[in-house]
Amino acid sequence: MNVPDRAGGEGSGRPHRGGPALADLPLLERDREQAVLSAVIGELRSGRPAVVTVTGEPGAGQNELLRWAARHAAERGLRVLTARATPAERDLRYGVVGQLLAGHQEFADHLPHLLLDQDGPGRFPGLTRLLAVARDRPVLLVVEDIHQLDPDSLRWLEALIRRLPRAPLAVLAGSIRTADIGLDWCAGSPLTGSATTVELALPGLTRAGTADAVRAVCGTLGDRSFVAAVADATGGNPTVVRDTLRRFARAGHPPDADHVEHARAIAAHVIGEHAAAALDGVRDPVALDVLRALAVCDDLLDFPLVLALAGPGALPENRLCAALLDSGLVTVCDGRFRVRGPVARARVIEEMPTAERADLYARAAELAHRAAADDQGIGDLLLPARPVGAPWAVDTLCRAAAAALRGGRRDRAAAYLSRALTEPLSEEARIRVLLQLARIELVIAPVAAGRRMGGVIREPGEAAAAFRARAGDLCLLGGDTDTTWRALAEFLAGGRPDGGREAPADPGPTEAATARYEDITALFRVAQPLCRASAGIAFPLAPDLPRTSRNPAVNGVRAWEAAVRGADREEARGQARAALAPDPSGRPPLTVPRLLACRTLLLTEDGEEAETHLCALLAEAHRERCSVTVARVLALRAELHLRHGRPESAARDLAAADLELPPDSRHPLSYPYWTTLGILTDLANGRPDRARAAAGRPVPSPAEESVSGAQLLFARGLLARADDDPHRARSLFRACGRWFLQYGWTNPALLPWRSQAAEAAHALGDAAQASWLAREELELAERWGAPGAIGAAQLCLATMKGEDRLQRLRSAVDSLGRAPSRGAYTRAVVTLASAESGGSDHATAVAAPVIGRAGTESAGPSGAAVRRPRVPAPPQALADVPTPAWRALSPGERAAAALAARGFANREIAAALSVTTRTVELRLSGVYRKLRIRGRDDLRALVQGTKDD
């Protein structure tokens, strides 16, 4: 039998001109099957019998194809007998046989026997007469849904098939069962080679077929994304495609990309309706129970365990399997019974009463636990289940949450832990699970996480004592400073966990309680300046911390408080190192005090030591899979990179932090901090447009009223100065300073707002204010003692053009030479070169510092200042280069030439002069042209020759 290929030929499902007609939609892409049936009908006319079975999933179009074949056979002069098996007639003897013979005068004598003698043994009524009729005129029997045949009709058809080689008769049957899932309706009737046997398996529609269906129903070509969405949502099932498109077309929408989600929703609804109709056809209660158990377990449990879950039944397993397959809701995949698709599963489960559903899920989870199934699989069963009341349930849910976090599924992990809280738990276990859940919610629901941790802090009782500080620590990391401050204030106002209001003098029996109280006090002192000013209640007096303590949290906070005051650099450094040392009591240390200790080391210019500790903190946070901690550590390391003149590394760390804690997932009160860091990083990387866009975004009003908001004021001031708006710049820098002074944060190494305001005032002609601010910053920097801060303050004061300008510039170069920032030192060298050569310093003015000051980076771990390779200070010889063209260079060209002659790369020159790399290239090209030299080698030779002279 010749069968044309699906790709083309007569009857091809590809549209001709205008595409398929709407009436032909059920037969779309069925050209090959139609050709096979046409060939069978043609052979039947020649007297060759055949048995053809058309199979496919429900809705694949079996019945439409059979009806087409019946019409085609009738048009070609064959006698056609049709019938459709239904569940309602499965208990009626010869129900399908009666349909086949009804309406034909030749079989009128047999119908009463079929209909009335339901209890007799029967001897295949009408079969002999049918064979006799077929010898006179070939007969085609068409039976739809043979998987629903009643037993007597099945035996009748088997007897007919055994006799086919002696009669010109063909049987054409349709089924939703295929050979690999038990298609055995004629297996007991072997045929000889004189009869044709064919099984046609109907596939789903291809993308091209779906596109044709869209055009036929919607009357226009569909967008490629729309066609792909319909094909994916429907699985290419022709019936589902047809119903989906008809409903979509009735809504009047065009089939374009804007309506993809609408089409998906319609497809899901259609699939659900088909599943509900099929579910209504499942009449056997045992089969229904097993179907529900299959829907609940999916592929987690083997079929014998599913049968055990469903309970004892009266049906043999083979009949039960047949009933499941005949429902059209179950298929066999890799030898396992499964419900067809998630929508059908959901519909089967939704039809159950709520209590029965929760109980079935609980029993399924317990059975899966005994079978040692996957933790996440058991967790999925426990989510909709009633409380189990067994310890294994909480343990399994916690392990499932950990596995979900490893896979990046935070929402699922939070669902597992939320479900664990519904189980009976001890108070300590409940708080532990609460903290695990809050740690995840800091990323997906930060406000809810803050409420949870605030509740833990306020929780009375000894069970919560060990977790209060940990909750406050997480809350501060997440940025919810208001909740942390309020909760800690309420706790401290109510006294210590043991009822006293003061720390006990004897730490012996209450040493752990003392340590916990100190942790809470330390965190409260951190939160107070960070929370918004309009907190609604008066600020309580923060308890004092002990002057000496072995508690790392106390040492970390005291180090930070000393650093922000700028009072004693050595004391701050020692306390920071003590905070980063292991806790002698063996307690797990808090994260916020250690981050403050690292930040203190940045201000003391021990940057390398701080970076080492930050890397250790980052590894610890990754081990604990705490995304908010990872993001905070990366952010602080980005600050370190900015202080050390590594803006590209800072940008990489910020990008990694965005992956761990996406901007949309951050707490509103932390917005100023992240925005400030992003603005400064963009400015340092030469991306002012991005910085302006970030600065222009609205800030939640509560977030502005805090020290964190002051940082954003400073960043916006830098942008205003870059936009040559000194009035706005001075206003923003002064506003930033007022917030800092309100909390006693006077150290200029934090943010050099005074020097920035002084430069703005100097640009506006207010020399008195500029000098006062610059001198105050220098005085405070000298009190702090960090060489980078001192050098930067001296450099700022030197720009005021006083009588001692050159001396201050030389002092700034000397101080910055003992600091690790090559960029700050380079700017000082350039400014000094310009001053000594008598040129204008407008183009070589000090560039904007970032996160404090670009020249106040680290000292070494031992405390001694780290020296970078010194660039020789430009002598007067630069002004005496023996060429008149040197005087013709602009100040910008002269500065670029001075740095290029000393071996700086273009990128380093651009960073030093606060210009783009392209600007440096253009300036150097002008230098080479005016000096009539060929490049850097000639420039170095020219300068070196002048020195030698």
Side-chain angles (χ1 to χ4, degrees):
M1 184 172 12
N2 295 324
V3 179
D5 188 81
R6 181 181 296 277
E10 185 178 357
S12 172
R14 300 291 299 166
H16 299 284
R17 299 178 185 169
L22 189 59
D24 297 333
L25 192 60
L27 299 177
L28 192 61
E29 291 193 320
R30 297 292 179 247
D31 48 295
R32 181 176 181 275
E33 290 78 9
Q34 288 175 304
V36 171
L37 295 177
S38 295
V40 168
I41 292 171
E43 292 181 350
L44 179 59
R45 293 182 65 194
S46 301
R48 183 178 178 87
V51 176
V52 181
T53 306
V54 182
T55 63
E57 67 175 6
Q62 300 94 318
N63 293 341
E64 286 83 357
L65 190 60
L66 295 184
R67 293 164 194 165
W68 174 88
R71 294 192 302 271
H72 186 65
E75 291 170 357
R76 302 186 69 175
L78 298 181
R79 186 186 301 274
V80 180
L81 308 181
T82 61
R84 181 179 184 182
T86 62
E89 293 184 351
R90 293 200 70 163
D91 297 329
L92 179 65
R93 292 187 70 190
Y94 301 113
V96 167
V97 176
Q99 293 183 52
L100 287 171
L101 302 182
H104 298 275
Q105 189 62 35
E106 297 91 336
F107 311 110
D109 296 339
H110 299 278
L111 290 177
H113 177 70
L114 290 172
L115 299 175
L116 300 176
D117 191 10
Q118 291 289 307
D119 298 326
R123 290 294 298 173
F124 309 123
L127 182 57
T128 303
R129 180 60 179 163
L130 175 61
L131 293 173
V133 169
R135 292 187 184 97
D136 296 333
R137 182 182 176 189
V139 177
L140 176 67
L141 278 72
V142 179
V143 183
E144 300 177 13
D145 299 333
I146 58 171
H147 54 280
Q148 302 284 3
L149 278 174
D150 62 273
D152 291 288
S153 294
L154 176 60
R155 287 194 298 271
W156 191 90
L157 283 174
E158 289 175 345
L160 172 64
I161 291 172
R162 286 195 297 271
R163 294 165 174 78
L164 279 185
R166 301 191 298 272
L169 192 147
V171 178
L172 178 57
S175 174
I176 64 172
R177 306 255 298 274
T178 57
D180 59 335
I181 59 173
L183 180 62
D184 56 359
W185 70 277
C186 61
S189 307
L191 299 174
T192 66
S194 60
T196 301
T197 58
V198 179
E199 180 180 346
L200 297 176
L202 300 183
L205 293 179
T206 63
R207 291 287 174 89
T210 305
D212 293 342
V214 171
R215 183 174 183 180
V217 177
C218 299
T220 183
L221 289 174
D223 184 83
R224 180 176 298 180
S225 60
F226 181 85
V227 172
V230 171
D232 293 340
T234 62
N237 186 287
T239 302
V240 178
V241 170
R242 178 195 63 197
D243 294 348
T244 299
L245 292 177
R246 284 179 176 173
R247 295 190 186 186
F248 181 84
R250 281 199 296 268
H253 300 307
D256 55 21
D258 294 336
H259 295 89
V260 164
E261 293 305 319
H262 183 55
R264 290 184 187 276
I266 292 177
H269 188 68
V270 168
I271 294 172
E273 287 184 350
H274 288 190
L279 188 61
D280 290 340
V282 180
R283 300 179 179 275
D284 191 293
V286 176
L288 183 60
D289 289 341
V290 175
L291 180 62
R292 289 171 172 174
L294 273 175
V296 164
C297 297
D298 197 16
D299 60 346
L300 188 64
L301 299 179
D302 294 332
F303 192 63
L305 293 177
V306 173
L307 295 179
L309 176 63
L315 284 179
E317 185 172 333
N318 60 342
R319 288 188 57 190
L320 177 62
C321 293
L324 292 174
L325 295 171
D326 293 346
S327 69
L329 292 168
V330 176
T331 186
V332 176
C333 181
D334 298 329
R336 299 173 69 98
F337 284 86
R338 297 190 64 179
V339 178
R340 292 182 186 271
V343 176
R345 284 187 61 226
R347 185 54 63 98
V348 171
I349 294 170
E350 288 169 2
E351 294 294 326
M352 298 176 62
T354 303
E356 292 183 19
R357 180 169 61 243
D359 180 71
L360 180 59
Y361 269 109
R363 291 189 290 110
E366 186 173 359
L367 188 59
H369 169 68
R370 293 205 303 267
D374 175 69
D375 286 332
Q376 291 192 72
I378 302 174
D380 290 339
L381 293 176
L382 285 170
L383 287 178
R386 57 167 170 76
V388 175
W392 65 262
V394 176
D395 295 340
T396 301
L397 287 165
C398 290
R399 290 196 303 269
L405 276 182
R406 288 193 296 270
R409 303 172 63 200
R410 295 189 183 96
D411 291 341
R412 180 60 64 173
Y416 291 142
L417 294 176
S418 297
R419 171 63 181 82
L421 292 173
T422 65
E423 294 287 335
L425 292 169
S426 67
E427 193 64 19
E428 180 178 346
R430 184 183 67 82
I431 296 176
R432 194 181 301 275
V433 173
L434 268 174
L435 284 181
Q436 292 177 7
L437 175 58
R439 180 181 297 177
I440 299 170
E441 287 182 333
L442 282 171
V443 180
I444 60 176
V447 176
R451 287 196 295 266
R452 289 189 189 277
M453 290 182 288
V456 172
I457 296 172
R458 297 181 179 93
E459 187 83 26
E462 188 63 26
F467 301 101
R468 288 192 184 96
R470 182 68 55 190
D473 189 53
L474 282 173
C475 207
L476 281 176
L477 285 172
D480 193 352
T481 51
D482 269 10
T483 297
T484 310
W485 178 76
R486 289 171 181 270
L488 293 175
E490 291 177 19
F491 172 76
L492 291 172
R496 291 173 40 80
D498 56 7
R501 288 186 177 274
E502 301 295 336
D506 179 13
T510 58
E511 184 174 355
T514 301
R516 291 195 294 266
Y517 182 76
E518 290 177 348
D519 287 345
I520 292 294
T521 303
L523 292 177
F524 179 75
R525 294 181 70 92
V526 174
Q528 182 162 292
L530 298 177
C531 69
R532 53 177 173 158
S534 56
I537 58 176
F539 278 85
L541 184 64
D544 292 331
L545 293 173
R547 294 190 59 82
T548 59
S549 175
R550 294 184 302 169
N551 189 326
V554 172
N555 287 319
V557 174
R558 285 187 61 84
W560 175 245
E561 291 179 345
V564 296
R565 291 194 305 269
D568 193 329
R569 180 177 170 220
E570 291 303 323
E571 180 184 358
R573 176 185 286 136
Q575 289 175 332
R577 289 172 176 167
L580 293 167
D583 190 337
S585 66
R587 295 184 309 131
L590 301 177
T591 302
V592 168
R594 287 185 290 169
L595 287 178
L596 292 177
C598 290
R599 195 182 296 272
T600 300
L601 291 177
L602 289 186
L603 301 184
T604 61
E605 300 188 1
D606 297 281
E608 293 181 6
E609 184 178 356
E611 188 168 9
T612 300
H613 288 294
L614 285 175
C615 290
L617 280 173
L618 187 62
E620 176 187 313
H622 277 300
R623 284 195 304 271
E624 295 179 353
R625 300 192 182 279
C626 184
S627 295
V628 67
T629 303
V630 172
R632 283 289 187 171
V633 175
L634 286 170
L636 184 52
R637 198 169 69 175
E639 293 185 35
L640 183 147
H641 289 318
L642 288 175
R643 287 177 177 272
H644 282 240
R646 302 191 293 261
E648 293 179 352
S649 298
R652 284 194 295 270
D653 274 352
L654 274 187
D658 287 345
L659 293 177
E660 291 288 340
L661 187 64
D664 293 341
S665 299
R666 293 167 184 162
H667 195 280
L669 292 178
S670 69
Y671 182 94
Y673 171 77
W674 291 103
T675 304
T676 300
L677 194 53
I679 291 172
L680 297 177
T681 302
D682 287 335
L683 284 176
N685 281 288
R687 294 179 293 195
D689 291 340
R690 279 188 53 172
R692 291 188 190 94
R697 297 188 190 107
V699 181
S701 56
E704 293 180 319
E705 302 168 353
S706 65
V707 171
S708 298
Q711 295 175 325
L712 184 55
L713 293 174
F714 181 84
R716 287 173 171 169
L718 292 180
L719 278 173
R721 196 194 67 177
D723 293 337
D724 199 20
D725 187 354
H727 286 282
R728 176 172 168 77
R730 180 172 64 172
S731 175
L732 289 168
F733 290 134
R734 295 292 299 271
C736 167
R738 284 192 292 272
W739 277 103
F740 273 36
L741 294 176
Q742 178 179 343
Y743 294 102
W745 291 18
T746 58
N747 192 342
L750 283 166
L751 287 179
W753 62 269
R754 294 177 183 83
S755 60
Q756 296 299 322
E759 290 183 11
H762 183 68
L764 292 171
D766 192 345
Q769 185 183 71
S771 176
W772 170 68
L773 287 169
R775 292 181 185 280
E776 183 180 25
E777 176 154 319
L778 178 59
E779 179 183 348
L780 292 171
E782 289 174 340
R783 188 180 73 170
W784 177 238
I790 294 173
Q794 290 171 332
L795 188 59
C796 173
L797 189 58
T799 62
M800 305 305 157
K801 295 183 180 294
E803 296 179 357
D804 54 352
R805 181 167 181 259
L806 285 178
Q807 181 58 40
R808 289 199 178 278
L809 283 174
R810 293 189 180 101
S811 299
V813 169
D814 180 67
S815 297
L816 292 174
R818 291 180 285 116
S821 173
R822 186 173 183 176
Y825 177 66
T826 302
R827 285 191 291 274
V829 169
V830 171
T831 307
L832 179 58
S834 177
E836 290 181 334
S837 64
S840 170
D841 63 320
H842 177 71
T844 57
V846 182
V850 287
I851 306 292
R853 188 173 300 276
T856 60
E857 289 78 27
S858 68
S862 63
V866 175
R867 285 184 176 269
R868 293 191 180 274
R870 291 289 303 273
V871 179
Q876 182 66 27
L878 276 181
D880 298 331
V881 174
T883 171
W886 183 266
R887 298 292 183 185
L889 298 180
S890 69
E893 290 173 337
R894 199 175 301 167
L899 293 175
R902 285 159 179 78
F904 286 92
N906 286 359
R907 182 180 298 178
E908 295 172 317
I909 298 173
L913 301 181
S914 298
V915 295
T916 65
T917 305
R918 178 60 177 163
T919 301
V920 173
E921 294 172 353
L922 294 174
R923 289 181 181 179
L924 290 178
S925 297
V927 169
Y928 303 152
R929 184 179 66 256
K930 293 177 181 179
L931 296 182
R932 296 183 180 181
I933 58 178
R934 290 174 296 179
R936 286 175 179 261
D937 292 340
D938 290 351
L939 181 63
R940 281 193 292 269
L942 178 64
V943 175
Q944 187 63 41
T946 303
K947 289 181 183 179
D948 295 340
D949 293 341

